[in-house]
Amino acid sequence: MAPSALIGQPAANQEDYWIAKALLQSFGMVGADPWQGAPLPPQRPPPELYRFESRASSAATAYSVSMAFMIIITLTRLGLRIFSKRMRWGLDDTMMIFAFTLAVAWPTLGLANVTHGGVGKHMYDVTYHQYYVFKYIGSIQSIIFYPAVAFIKMSIIAFNMRLTGLTSRRWMIVHWTLFASMVVFAILAIFLTCLFFDPPRARFDLVFAGKLDTPPRMTMDMAATGYGLVAIHVTSDVLLLSFFGIVLWKLQMSKIVKFRLLLVFAVGALSFAAAVKWQLAQKMLMVDPLWHLSNQIGWSLVDLTAGLTVASLPILSSLFVVAFNKIKGSLRSLTGASSRHEAAGTGPSIKMGTASTGTHRAWHGKSLLSNKAWSSNSDVAESISANEDSIYATTPGWEKPFGHVEEKEAWTTRAPIRNHQRLGVDQD
């Protein structure tokens, strides 16, 4: 079979013929001869003005970086849940597996479209076969995008329900209602994106559409459907952020911890902005879609990546706090050792006095510094223990066993577990 011809040129083989026929039918040119090609806009410029352009490399880079970031963030979060003996698996983690699978599949398909579907090129630089591949893979991407977003929201809602587990039954009902609405949203999105055409396969397979005796019929307005799905997507983002803010503010946490969690979930505002921006820019895809799509890819990637990050950071942030407190404790230990060394008689304040006075000062300073060092080390131990609790105590009713002396001593001087310790977030 002869290689596929460029779009706008005469069909080079039978597959080109069916694809050209389907394209002509989609533009209402039913009586045109597909062997003469499908002159889709924009037209190829004259040879003296033609210049090859491609955004494929930037699109591939965006897909790759986003996919790597999603993999690192999500696998680290799930690794903590699986391999930590003191962490317990929850509904939010189960939903995250589904969300992660679909979210990573979306840029993976996008990379295939860049490689084989001509994304990033002008229409007149793409062959009929490349456009066929683009249409097929792009349709699959549009089907899995909104379910991926819905599963991300379900994971966040399940995490919020852990916050409200011991606060109010009313909040649990509200979150379960929102969780159920996301399930309905995912199912609805799948059906709507699959049933744009009658028969449905005509949306995916241009060769199949070209072989039909009658042109495939569009069953609904694609633009209106897209705006409706985006409206649900954006509204749920607003509800999630507002619900989380209200519940979080009522829990027994320090203002610093509350602010840190609110800041983490404020990253979700990126998802909101990306969804709005992506939908507003859809009109650009009516002409030269493969070229303009490379600019719109970023907004979809921001939407998915920000969602996965928001769902995982409340757990991962505790790791950074533990590391910071351990470093701070090490610095305190070094400072305490230096102070005790000076108190032993080598410091300037001891050398300035007489022997008896110096001895008294040395003993008194050593005593005070020893008490200070004991207090400092106790604070550090309690801080580290609290941080460990904040990572591993993740469900209501969880109780940490007394595995060793340090844990038991820390608990005797500590108040009962609060809500922030069940979250996996440290109390500063």
Side-chain angles (χ1 to χ4, degrees):
M1 186 172 63
S4 180
L6 295 174
I7 290 180
Q9 296 181 359
N13 51 54
Q14 189 63 48
E15 184 187 60
D16 286 1
Y17 172 85
W18 297 123
I19 297 173
K21 180 182 176 182
L23 294 175
L24 291 172
Q25 289 176 347
S26 64
F27 280 88
M29 305 168 64
V30 180
D33 183 9
W35 286 113
Q36 299 302 317
L40 303 182
Q43 299 298 319
R44 190 179 188 86
E48 62 273 10
L49 299 178
Y50 170 78
R51 181 169 60 91
F52 178 78
E53 297 176 306
S54 177
R55 296 173 176 173
S57 59
S58 61
T61 301
Y63 279 129
S64 301
V65 172
S66 178
M67 185 164 52
F69 192 81
M70 287 190 284
I71 290 174
I72 293 172
I73 288 291
T74 308
L75 292 187
T76 303
R77 174 240 176 92
L78 296 178
L80 287 174
R81 295 291 200 191
I82 295 173
F83 297 107
S84 176
K85 296 180 180 180
R86 291 186 255 183
M87 293 190 76
R88 300 180 64 179
W89 192 269
L91 179 61
D92 55 332
D93 303 303
T94 303
M95 294 298 102
M96 179 54 61
I97 291 180
F98 293 107
F100 171 71
T101 302
L102 294 176
V104 172
W106 197 86
T108 302
L109 292 172
L111 282 174
N113 237 346
V114 172
T115 305
H116 304 288
V119 171
K121 298 179 181 179
H122 291 289
M123 286 292 290
Y124 48 77
D125 288 324
V126 176
T127 64
Y128 289 104
H129 179 74
Q130 285 179 318
Y131 190 76
Y132 169 82
V133 173
F134 161 75
K135 194 70 174 177
Y136 200 99
I137 296 179
S139 299
I140 298 176
Q141 281 186 286
S142 65
I143 292 173
I144 69 174
F145 179 80
Y146 285 110
V149 169
F151 277 116
I152 291 174
K153 296 179 190 295
M154 291 181 210
S155 178
I156 296 175
I157 295 169
F159 178 80
N160 286 357
M161 286 192 286
R162 286 186 170 184
L163 295 180
T164 59
L166 298 177
T167 56
S168 171
R169 177 179 175 84
R170 180 179 59 185
W171 279 113
M172 290 295 290
I173 295 175
V174 170
H175 280 95
W176 274 118
T177 302
L178 188 58
F179 187 93
S181 67
M182 288 297 100
V183 175
V184 175
F185 171 61
I187 297 173
L188 180 65
I190 292 174
F191 276 100
L192 290 179
T193 51
C194 286
L195 302 178
F196 275 135
F197 287 92
D198 183 23
R201 182 181 171 184
R203 182 189 179 183
F204 302 86
D205 195 339
L206 291 178
V207 173
F208 171 80
K211 291 180 179 180
L212 296 175
D213 296 333
T214 58
R217 182 176 59 89
M218 185 177 293
T219 57
M220 63 189 73
D221 189 345
M222 296 182 67
T225 304
Y227 280 115
L229 293 175
V230 169
I232 298 175
H233 176 24
V234 171
T235 302
S236 61
D237 278 343
V238 175
L239 290 175
L240 281 177
L241 290 173
S242 60
F243 286 174
F244 180 82
I246 294 172
V247 173
L248 183 61
W249 203 252
K250 292 184 177 181
L251 293 180
Q252 296 181 1
M253 295 181 181
S254 68
K255 292 183 179 180
I256 296 177
V257 175
K258 290 181 178 181
F259 176 78
R260 188 169 71 239
L261 285 178
L262 283 175
L263 187 62
V264 169
F265 271 75
V267 179
L270 291 175
S271 177
F272 169 82
V276 174
K277 179 65 176 178
W278 183 84
Q279 188 61 33
L280 292 176
Q282 288 298 295
K283 293 182 179 180
M284 299 179 61
L285 302 180
M286 299 301 295
V287 179
D288 209 359
L290 297 178
W291 174 259
H292 293 295
L293 181 63
S294 59
N295 286 336
Q296 310 309 319
I297 287 171
W299 295 112
S300 298
L301 291 175
V302 168
D303 198 349
L304 292 174
T305 306
L308 286 176
T309 303
V310 166
S312 299
L313 272 184
I315 299 171
L316 300 181
S317 63
S318 296
L319 294 178
F320 300 107
V321 176
V322 169
F324 174 78
N325 285 334
K326 287 185 177 180
I327 294 174
K328 185 170 63 176
S330 299
L331 293 177
R332 286 180 178 178
S333 299
L334 292 176
T335 304
S338 176
S339 300
R340 288 192 297 271
H341 181 67
E342 291 181 0
T346 58
S349 61
I350 304 300
K351 291 182 178 181
M352 290 178 64
T354 61
S356 59
T357 305
T359 303
H360 175 73
R361 288 179 179 176
W363 177 87
H364 183 66
K366 184 175 182 180
S367 176
L368 291 177
L369 288 171
S370 298
N371 292 333
K372 183 177 180 181
W374 178 89
S375 176
S376 174
N377 292 333
S378 178
D379 292 339
V380 172
E382 183 174 352
S383 175
I384 294 175
S385 180
N387 289 324
E388 291 175 351
D389 289 345
S390 69
I391 294 178
Y392 300 123
T394 57
T395 56
W398 177 90
E399 295 181 358
K400 180 179 178 182
F402 294 121
H404 46 76
V405 177
E406 289 80 6
E407 293 177 353
K408 186 172 181 180
E409 291 178 352
W411 271 59
T412 59
T413 59
R414 204 187 319 169
I417 284 183
R418 291 186 177 185
N419 289 325
H420 68 273
Q421 292 173 308
R422 296 187 179 94
L423 291 179
V425 180
D426 303 307
Q427 177 73 20
D428 290 338

